Amino acid sequence: MRMTSEVIDRRAQTFDSQGQPNKTAPSKENIMTDHTAIARRYIDLWNERTASRRRALLSENWTADASYVDPLMQGGGHDGVDAMIAGVQQRFPEFKFKLIGEPNGYGDHLRFSWGLGPDGVDSPIKGTDFAVLRDGRIKSVTGFLDQVPAGA
């Protein structure tokens, strides 16, 4: 259908302040790559066991006023998020996070799924996180737990 493709193409465009098409806007491929890179850095942060490197990752990739919330915990600012991650690592010392599927997003919004478990097996704990970005850095994360075994 020609009409449908015109609507889809038109919605994908961005416009400058005078309402003209923005020819310098990032391409769809660049936006997806950026979202994928942000999600991978997020997973790297959760897997980083050295406190000083974890703090450096937080400073590089999260805003100073960033927040995280899920059904089990919450943290604010770099100190709160770092303490939360350290707590998860202490509770599950042999587990690592990994991305499940491909992250996706639009603009300053990002969605991705993850698994938490031992290497080499299907993750017993799974979730989906939604992030809001500011200038390419994580501003807030709302996490949902999709699969949690009893006693975890």
Side-chain angles (χ1 to χ4, degrees), residues 45 50-61:
L45 171 70
T50 303
S52 61
R53 286 197 299 246
R54 195 171 53 243
R55 296 292 297 199
L57 289 171
L58 274 165
S59 293
E60 291 170 24
N61 300 301

Side-chain angles (χ1 to χ4, degrees), residues 83-101:
M84 192 183 58
I85 292 170
V88 170
Q89 291 176 350
Q90 184 177 9
R91 178 149 186 213
F92 301 103
E94 302 300 319
F95 284 19
K96 291 202 172 234
F97 283 88
K98 65 181 177 181
L99 282 175
I100 297 175

Side-chain angles (χ1 to χ4, degrees), residues 22-106:
N22 184 350
K23 298 192 188 311
T24 61
S27 68
K28 181 179 178 185
E29 291 78 19
N30 287 341
I31 291 170
M32 294 303 287
T33 300
D34 289 345
H35 285 124
T36 298
I38 291 166
R40 286 186 179 143
R41 288 192 302 263
Y42 175 90
I43 295 296
D44 290 344
L45 171 70
W46 281 86
N47 286 329
E48 181 54 61
R49 303 269 175 183
T50 303
S52 61
R53 286 197 299 246
R54 195 171 53 243
R55 296 292 297 199
L57 289 171
L58 274 165
S59 293
E60 291 170 24
N61 300 301
W62 292 58
T63 64
D65 61 343
S67 63
Y68 177 98
V69 63
D70 72 22
L72 301 177
M73 59 188 173
Q74 62 183 9
H78 292 172
D79 290 339
V81 173
D82 183 54
M84 192 183 58
I85 292 170
V88 170
Q89 291 176 350
Q90 184 177 9
R91 178 149 186 213
F92 301 103
E94 302 300 319
F95 284 19
K96 291 202 172 234
F97 283 88
K98 65 181 177 181
L99 282 175
I100 297 175
E102 289 294 320
N104 61 26
Y106 61 93

